[in-house]
Structure formats: C-alpha cells, structure tokens
Amino acid sequence: MTLPLTEVGLQLAGFSFPGTPDTEIFPRVAAIATAAEESGFDSLWVMDHLQQVDAVGDREEPILEAYTTLSALAVVTSKARLGTLVTAAGFRNPGLLAKMVTTIDVISRGRAVLGIGAGWLEDEYVSYGYPFPPAGQRLRELADTVRICRAMFTEYAPRVEGAHFSVRGALNVPGPLSKGGPPILIGGGGERVLIPLVAELGDACNFFGAPATVRHKIDVLERACARFDRDPASITKTWLGHVVMDDDQSRLAAAIDRLGRRYHLSPRAARGFALCGTEDEVLDQLRAYRAVGVDGVIVTVLDPGDVDYVSRVGKVLRRGFDD
C-alpha cells in the first residue's frame, strides 16, 4: 500500500478575516498556513472559486485566486502539500493548467497536488464569461483535462486528442519535481462517471457525509477499481468536512448552530458533516471515519483567522493518526 496523499489537511474556504484590511489578507493567510504546517497539517487547500460561494459566505467578500495564492504559499511553507479543492475543469485550458501546477511543484520542491472536478456553480461561470455546458459535457471535459494533465506531468511533449480538449506536442519544461508528477485528486461522489474516473485515472478522491455514506462511496470505488484491474489501496480516500471543537458545551452548541445557519441546516443535520465536540469526541469521530476506510481528512474551520484554534485542531487530528 502506498502512503496516503494526505492524512490531515486544512482547507481555507475563504479570505474574509474580521478586522483585516485587504492589504493584510495574504500576511494573515501566510500566518495561518505556517501555523497549520507546524501543528500537524500535512496538506493545505484552497477553493478554486473566483467569487465566494453563497453557502460559505457573502458573495462580495474578499477571495483570492487559487493558483497564484498557492504559488505564494509554496514560498512561505516547507512541508505541506498544496492543492485546490477542487479546480473547475472548465476554468482553464488543460495544457495551461498542467503548466501552472507544474510551476507550483517546482517552486514548492515537489509538493503540488492537482485537485480537480467538473465544476458546478453556474452563476460563477456566467459572471466570468465562461460557457456552462450540460453536466455530461462538463464530465467529458473533466476526463480530457485529467488525461492531458497526467500526460504533461509524465511525458516530454505529449499528444492527447480528447473529446473537447487536446494537446499536440505541448512542452512542459521544466517538468515536475515530484516523482510521477503531482498527484491528481478527483473531487465529487457521482457514482456513474466520477468515481469510475477516479478508479481509472486518479490518485485520490474526496467524499463528504456521515461514515455510512462515505463507506458506500468507497464500496462503489472498489467495484470500479476491479473493472480497471486497479488496487483500491493505491488511491487515497479523503473526507471533507468541518471541525467544531470546544470543551465548553454552550460555546460548542453556539458554533454548531452557526454552522447549521451557514448551510441552511438544523444543528442536528450540521453535525452530519462535521467532527464536533470535545477533543476526545472529535478523536472518536475521526476513528469512525478511519474505520470505514478513510485515509485522510481535509477540514475547514469556522474562523480560520484564529491561528491558535487552527493549531489546536491540527494537533488533535494529528494525534488521531499518530496514536
């Protein structure tokens, strides 16, 4: 079994920090990233959105472009892998995307990850002038993009003719520093197309939901791997969710209520996609995910600007994998 792509990852789902002017946004992001790395997070992720998602925050709040942010984080960090969760395949020409991820790999000395999906937020596509084709076409574009990026990560001047995208002798010099090229994480839980694409071409996948839901998705993945004669253990299975951790029950309840209001869910439903409770309770829930086959967790926190809290979460989750 290969080592997992990540065990403990932190996703920055936004760049709005109370009291922080625009001029200080990146210094705050850099401080969060370095504290996260030092506390036990082995990967750092940003969303590939050009404007904030309504479910996460205010549409008009500050948000930084993903790949230029990762390039900067490559300089201020030294150990953590760096990726998007996840890139919309339709946002960038696949050959250019491969070149961008390779550049981050070179800057970071081999720590880049390509996190990619089919894209879903129609309003964002329309606002920025991108066509928003039907789901079937977006999935075919995703498959083309993964194949092209894989070829450009591993070949000198590949030729790939896809259904929608192609490269014809595109050079990728310098090549990636990571052996075999940056790993490719394919996000999404679609059982008919997306999960089989992970089985065929992916190094990692990303699911969310309760342990039973995740176990079902892993079962689908394992059956798909059998069709491609692929060892499922060679694919890192990750879970995405929030961490809400507090020893004070009143503060904990308030945070869970806040999480629920963010996603228009009851507090009980909000608990279904979060590790929440005291440190021991969070560790018990983490064990439940590991028991169903999760290799790594990627988490978001309500207040990422609280560096002390981010560090505490990283140390607790690291204990869950090191014990």
Side-chain angles (χ1 to χ4, degrees), residues 88-247:
F91 277 4
R92 298 169 188 83
N93 170 277
L96 174 62
L97 176 63
K99 184 71 175 178
M100 293 165 65
V101 176
T102 298
T103 298
I104 294 171
D105 201 62
V106 171
I107 295 170
S108 68
R109 298 181 180 271
R111 293 184 285 127
V113 179
L114 171 58
I116 188 142
W120 60 275
L121 188 56
E122 182 175 6
D123 176 63
E124 184 175 31
Y125 275 71
V126 172
S127 296
Y128 281 83
Y130 289 110
F132 187 73
Q137 179 176 332
R138 282 182 280 123
L139 288 165
R140 290 190 295 273
E141 290 177 353
L142 170 62
D144 284 353
T145 299
V146 172
R147 291 187 173 95
I148 288 169
C149 286
R150 177 74 75 195
M152 290 190 63
F153 291 160
T154 56
E155 301 175 32
Y156 172 69
R159 302 183 67 88
V160 179
E161 294 290 338
H164 298 280
F165 300 126
S166 302
V167 289
R168 302 177 179 92
L171 294 175
N172 193 19
V173 181
L177 301 188
S178 51
K179 185 177 180 181
I184 299 176
L185 180 151
I186 300 174
E191 298 180 12
R192 189 173 62 87
V193 177
L194 269 172
I195 292 179
L197 186 65
V198 174
E200 181 184 5
L201 297 172
D203 299 300
C205 57
N206 184 248
F207 303 133
F208 58 89
T213 299
V214 175
R215 180 62 246 179
H216 169 72
K217 298 295 184 181
I218 293 174
D219 287 340
V220 174
L221 175 63
E222 289 176 347
R223 291 194 294 271
C225 284
R227 297 200 300 272
F228 290 101
D229 195 26
R230 178 98 185 264
D231 180 1
S234 68
I235 298 171
T236 297
K237 278 76 74 177
T238 67
W239 171 84
L240 173 66
H242 277 262
V243 172
V244 183
M245 189 171 65
D246 205 305
D247 296 326

Side-chain angles (χ1 to χ4, degrees), residues 270-289:
R271 288 176 174 267
F273 65 104
L275 303 174
C276 52
T278 65
E279 290 186 8
D280 287 341
E281 288 169 336
V282 165
L283 287 171
D284 284 343
Q285 293 159 26
L286 177 59
R287 292 185 192 102
Y289 279 103

Side-chain angles (χ1 to χ4, degrees), residues 63-98:
I63 192 160
L64 302 179
E65 191 279 325
Y67 285 97
T68 42
T69 301
L70 291 177
S71 293
L73 289 179
V75 177
V76 300
T77 59
S78 60
K79 297 177 291 186
R81 290 186 181 272
L82 304 167
T84 56
L85 201 64
V86 287
T87 284
F91 277 4
R92 298 169 188 83
N93 170 277
L96 174 62
L97 176 63

Side-chain angles (χ1 to χ4, degrees), residues 244 251-261 265-268 270-271 276-277 302:
V244 183
R251 288 198 303 263
L252 180 65
I256 293 170
D257 180 68
R258 179 182 165 197
L259 179 64
R261 283 187 281 107
L265 298 170
S266 68
R268 181 177 180 179
R271 288 176 174 267
C276 52
L302 284 169

